[in-house]
Amino acid sequence: MSNDRTTDTPYEGENDTDTRPDPSPDGDLDDLGSEVDVEGDVEIDEDAAEDDLLGGLKVDSTADIKVPERLVDQVIGQEEARDIVMRAAKQHRHVMMIGTPGTGKSMLAKAMSQLLPKESLQDVLVYHNPDDSNEPKVRTVPAGKGDQIVEAHQEEVRKRNQMRTFLMWIVLAVVVGYAFLVEGAILLGILAAGIIYFAFRYSNRGSDAMIPKLLINNAERQTAPFEDATGAHAGALLGDVRHDPFQSGGMETPAHERVEAGAIHKSNKGVLFIDEINTLDVRSQQHLMTAIQEGEFGITGQSERSSGAMVQTEPVPCDFIMVAAGNMDAMENMHPALRSRIKGYGYEVYMDDTIDDTPEMRRKFARFVAQEIERDGQLPDFTPDAVREVILEAKRRAGRKEHLTLELRNLGGLVRVAGDIARSKGHEHTERDDVLEAKKRSRSIEQQVADNYIARRKDYELKTSDGEAVGRVNGLAVMGGDSGIMMPVMAEVTPRQGEGGEIYATGKLQEIAQEAVENVSAIIKKYTGESIADKDIHIQFVQSYEGVEGDSASITVATAVISALENIPIAQDLAMTGSLSVRGDVLPVGGVTHKIEAAAKAGCDRVIIPKANEQDVMIEDEYKDQIEVIPVSHISEVLDLALVGEPEKDSLVARLKNITGEALEKGKSSAGAQGGSPSPQ
């Protein structure tokens, strides 16, 4: 197949110099993405910035906060990714972004199309090939000239058709007149006229094939194109040729008119964005590699059963920058060669999901609220207290103290729900109470299901928040990602029934939870000083109908079993969560905030958490006075706090001191220094 471009005589203005505006009118690329004037002329109280959730901003509402015009200046928190995108835009490099959904991957890709250096965007035309109609010719011209060329061809064909029509009527008049006036054969004249008419009409179809098809039209574009090909099938991504049911007899559609551009062609001189890149089939990924390497890709029919499969155009330009995105699993099913091309000719960047909580970042989050309001166009402006509540929620969702979440898509959902509530109530501004109500209404499906399940369980659950009991501990778990639940764990020790002592755990334990129970046996042997070879230990996770995952109940299991072995009761006003090492160290777990709130809701007065999670506690204000949060670092501290009764406890404590040395004393001093709940801020 010939790869020569069509070399028709250019029409007037076809080779004129491109005079379209620079896609980056705000200055040189080196200046793009510099620090944004978040506050505009808004006053900042530097003295109160550290303690104020607004970072010291003095505003009456979000209407006072200036929103940047460029997308790159609206990006919050992803400084490294932002710098890479700017550099890649300048150097024409590909980028792969990996991270949690909702952290700004698509927004950065769109911003990249605005940052590209000035390019001469092109129109692409497809012409009929008189030598082989199944190999249409391709031609590129400066943007805006494609329409002119098509119109010129259409005008030429129109004039040609007018001339042919005029000639046809003359011939018809002569034939009919001759038949009527000379021969007197009226029927023969009518028949001859019909034949001539249809002959002329049939021959006119050939002139339509002379009109090229404008495949890519960039006449109205002032910036580089951005194409989102996420989830696109092969035809939408690589281009396609439509099937023609009438392939002969003069009724067929010319092949070049059936050619359709793919996303790789539409993004020529721009950005091609593909999220969840691993969902593309292998064949599409292979063709994508070819397009990246060659900078051009011919279009053919994607279905083997279609007549379009017989058509193959000349290569169509597809000189794009690819921005691939996905979660961590995206790299597993991604074609290794495709990833190699991106990495070899570009950058890989991991998107942060949290960022340090600083006054400057709080001010940017206030600007984020203003951005969401402006983007939506229908929401009332937020009051300062409403913005503070949104930022406080960003702190809670981060799951780490002194951090803010960067999963801004979900946070933006909270802003929109709060604005909708305020508007439905007729409020001039969105108030803090609207945000609080929105937090309840904007729960995810998983959280709603978990909350309903928890509510139904309360009628039948075997919880106790006062008194004492042997071998029973109030454990804590998380359901639905952010719904805490109290889950009792019970232990019983019996004489062995087999050749050696066994540990039996019930409650639909998953693999990690089962391994954690087995590891607890080492702790039991160490801190009881007894051999369990002649005993069977039964552990039950009460009402764990959905199963148990992870090892966050390790200290709960260890405490319950040691209580049963020693016959020492456990205080029931206490709940606990934490993992254990085989040496007795209490290790951090996830979801401590939701677990603490679940313990408070259940009526517990105290809750034990790993000391390493102390900085992650972000409980709501209503729970701060209801429960005491006690961070611990060793199982000895857990047992000292949980076990009650004299003199049995003193005997066990004495043994613990002999085994652990100063660990218990350190634990007591640490707990005393804490003196209650750590600050959720």
Side-chain angles (χ1 to χ4, degrees):
M1 181 187 70
S2 173
N3 288 332
D4 295 336
R5 295 289 191 267
T6 302
T7 56
D8 294 359
T9 301
Y11 290 90
E12 182 179 358
E14 194 168 310
N15 292 326
D16 293 347
T17 302
D18 183 18
T19 58
R20 291 173 300 102
D22 187 339
S24 303
D26 293 316
D28 185 45
L29 185 64
D30 293 332
D31 299 327
L32 293 175
S34 57
E35 283 301 316
V36 182
D37 183 12
V38 178
E39 301 82 20
D41 298 328
V42 175
E43 179 185 355
I44 302 177
D45 186 352
E46 296 292 352
D47 295 333
E50 287 292 337
D51 299 325
D52 184 13
L53 282 171
L54 287 181
L57 274 182
K58 296 296 183 181
V59 294
D60 295 327
S61 73
T62 51
D64 299 333
I65 301 177
K66 181 181 178 182
V67 176
E69 295 182 2
R70 298 178 308 192
L71 278 177
V72 70
D73 295 332
Q74 296 180 17
V75 176
I76 305 292
Q78 304 289 354
E79 300 300 329
E80 181 181 358
R82 187 163 164 260
D83 291 342
I84 287 176
V85 163
M86 291 168 53
R87 196 176 306 125
K90 185 175 182 179
Q91 301 297 333
H92 202 83
R93 307 296 188 202
H94 304 295
V95 179
M96 182 164 73
M97 302 179 189
I98 299 297
T100 308
T103 51
K105 297 186 288 291
S106 60
M107 186 176 183
L108 278 168
K110 290 180 182 177
M112 192 177 189
S113 65
Q114 298 179 357
L115 292 177
L116 288 175
K118 183 177 181 179
E119 293 274 0
S120 296
L121 297 183
Q122 299 171 326
D123 289 344
V124 179
L125 299 108
V126 184
Y127 286 80
H128 170 68
N129 186 346
D131 298 328
D132 187 346
S133 61
N134 284 331
E135 294 185 5
K137 291 183 174 295
V138 174
R139 181 182 186 186
T140 59
V141 296
K145 306 305 179 186
D147 276 329
Q148 299 176 17
I149 293 174
V150 172
E151 289 174 2
H153 275 284
Q154 289 174 339
E155 181 64 19
E156 181 181 341
V157 170
R158 186 180 65 81
K159 291 179 179 178
R160 188 180 302 168
N161 286 342
Q162 286 179 343
M163 182 61 68
R164 293 173 65 88
T165 302
F166 179 72
L167 179 61
M168 179 189 70
W169 287 115
I170 292 177
V171 173
L172 285 176
V174 171
V175 170
V176 172
Y178 179 81
F180 281 18
L181 301 177
V182 179
E183 297 294 334
I186 298 176
L187 184 60
L188 180 62
I190 294 174
L191 181 61
I195 293 173
I196 293 172
Y197 175 80
F198 283 109
F200 268 90
R201 298 297 296 176
Y202 180 82
S203 63
N204 276 347
R205 294 184 57 84
S207 62
D208 294 339
M210 299 299 294
I211 302 175
K213 177 177 181 178
L214 184 55
L215 191 66
I216 306 292
N217 185 4
N218 286 316
E220 302 299 326
R221 286 192 182 275
Q222 301 300 323
T223 59
F226 172 83
E227 289 293 328
D228 188 345
T230 302
H233 58 79
L237 177 66
L238 306 170
D240 203 352
V241 180
R242 289 181 280 111
H243 176 65
D244 182 12
F246 305 105
Q247 302 176 35
S248 62
M251 302 182 66
E252 69 276 5
T253 303
H256 74 284
E257 292 186 9
R258 294 185 280 121
V259 175
E260 301 293 342
I264 62 173
H265 308 109
K266 296 176 182 178
S267 59
N268 184 42
K269 304 297 184 183
V271 174
L272 176 67
F273 176 69
I274 305 179
D275 201 358
E276 303 299 338
I277 184 70
N278 57 310
T279 60
L280 284 181
D281 60 76
V282 175
R283 178 174 173 270
S284 294
Q285 293 190 47
Q286 290 172 335
H287 287 317
L288 193 57
M289 284 188 290
T290 303
I292 291 174
Q293 182 170 330
E294 301 297 333
E296 56 183 17
F297 192 84
I299 300 176
T300 187
Q302 298 298 327
S303 173
E304 295 181 357
R305 298 184 178 182
S306 168
S307 62
M310 300 295 294
V311 179
Q312 174 73 51
T313 71
E314 290 182 344
V316 180
C318 54
D319 183 19
F320 56 82
I321 294 176
M322 190 172 85
V323 178
N327 304 324
M328 288 300 297
D329 61 350
M331 295 182 291
E332 297 178 5
N333 298 324
M334 187 176 178
H335 198 293
L338 178 58
R339 184 182 176 189
S340 176
R341 274 182 172 78
I342 296 175
K343 190 173 182 179
Y345 297 96
Y347 301 88
E348 291 184 341
V349 57
Y350 181 76
M351 304 292 288
D352 297 325
D353 51 14
T354 64
I355 194 168
D356 292 338
D357 179 15
T358 64
E360 179 186 0
M361 194 52 59
R362 292 179 185 180
R363 293 194 289 269
K364 289 188 177 182
F365 267 73
R367 190 195 72 195
F368 165 75
V369 177
Q371 289 174 187
E372 293 298 303
I373 294 171
E374 182 178 283
R375 185 176 293 120
D376 187 274
Q378 299 180 357
L379 304 179
D381 288 307
F382 278 47
T383 64
D385 285 341
V387 177
R388 288 186 178 95
E389 190 61 38
V390 172
I391 296 175
L392 181 61
E393 182 65 14
K395 292 166 66 70
R396 280 175 49 84
R397 294 187 181 189
R400 299 172 60 188
K401 194 169 185 180
E402 307 302 334
H403 279 75
L404 296 163
T405 182
L406 289 179
E407 295 182 25
L408 298 182
R409 183 183 298 150
N410 292 337
L411 196 64
L414 175 65
V415 172
R416 283 181 283 278
V417 172
D420 290 344
I421 292 172
R423 189 178 182 187
S424 66
K425 293 180 178 179
H427 294 173
E428 182 179 356
H429 293 90
T430 303
E431 307 286 346
R432 178 175 180 270
D433 289 342
D434 299 323
V435 178
L436 292 175
E437 185 176 346
K439 288 169 64 175
K440 298 177 181 178
R441 293 192 181 182
S442 62
R443 297 173 301 162
S444 65
I445 291 295
E446 293 83 0
Q447 186 179 356
Q448 293 178 49
V449 171
D451 288 347
N452 288 338
Y453 172 75
I454 292 170
R456 293 172 61 185
R457 265 190 47 164
K458 287 182 179 179
D459 297 334
Y460 307 100
E461 65 183 356
L462 304 174
K463 70 178 183 181
T464 302
S465 58
D466 55 14
E468 55 191 48
V470 174
R472 187 188 188 284
V473 182
N474 292 320
L476 298 168
V478 173
M479 293 183 63
D482 47 9
S483 295
I485 183 173
M486 193 162 79
M487 180 181 294
V489 175
M490 297 184 181
E492 189 64 59
V493 179
T494 62
R496 66 180 175 89
Q497 300 297 317
E499 297 181 357
E502 297 285 346
I503 296 180
Y504 301 95
T506 58
K508 297 177 66 176
L509 274 64
Q510 304 298 320
E511 183 177 355
I512 296 178
Q514 186 68 46
E515 292 175 355
V517 170
E518 295 172 1
N519 289 339
V520 164
S521 63
I523 307 295
I524 296 169
K525 295 173 184 177
K526 180 175 182 179
Y527 291 105
T528 62
E530 295 186 18
S531 171
I532 59 174
D534 58 345
K535 298 181 176 67
D536 286 340
I537 299 176
H538 299 263
I539 303 168
Q540 181 184 13
F541 289 79
V542 181
Q543 295 180 320
S544 61
Y545 308 119
E546 301 302 315
V548 179
E549 298 181 7
D551 60 350
S552 63
S554 296
I555 64 170
T556 308
V557 172
T559 303
V561 172
I562 291 175
S563 168
L565 280 170
E566 299 291 331
N567 198 32
I568 302 176
I570 298 169
Q572 297 300 297
D573 68 338
L574 176 74
M576 63 181 68
T577 183
S579 179
L580 268 180
S581 74
V582 293
R583 299 176 62 88
D585 301 308
V586 179
L587 306 177
V589 295
V592 289
T593 295
H594 306 297
K595 292 175 180 178
I596 293 171
E597 292 178 351
K601 291 177 184 177
C604 292
D605 298 325
R606 300 175 294 160
V607 61
I608 293 175
I609 67 169
K611 190 170 183 62
N613 285 124
E614 185 177 2
Q615 63 178 358
D616 301 330
V617 177
M618 291 289 299
I619 59 176
E620 296 277 11
D621 292 342
E622 60 183 294
Y623 302 116
K624 293 179 183 178
D625 297 329
Q626 296 183 22
I627 194 163
E628 177 186 5
V629 180
I630 307 173
V632 299
S633 57
H634 199 270
I635 184 63
S636 57
E637 302 172 57
V638 177
L639 296 175
D640 185 45
L641 291 164
L643 300 180
V644 296
E646 305 288 348
E648 294 86 354
K649 176 183 176 180
D650 292 339
S651 174
L652 179 59
V653 168
R655 272 184 282 160
L656 289 173
K657 286 183 177 180
N658 292 332
I659 297 172
T660 63
E662 299 299 323
L664 184 59
E665 294 298 326
K666 291 180 181 178
K668 286 183 177 180
S669 62
S670 173
Q674 177 65 27
S677 173
S679 170
Q681 303 301 323

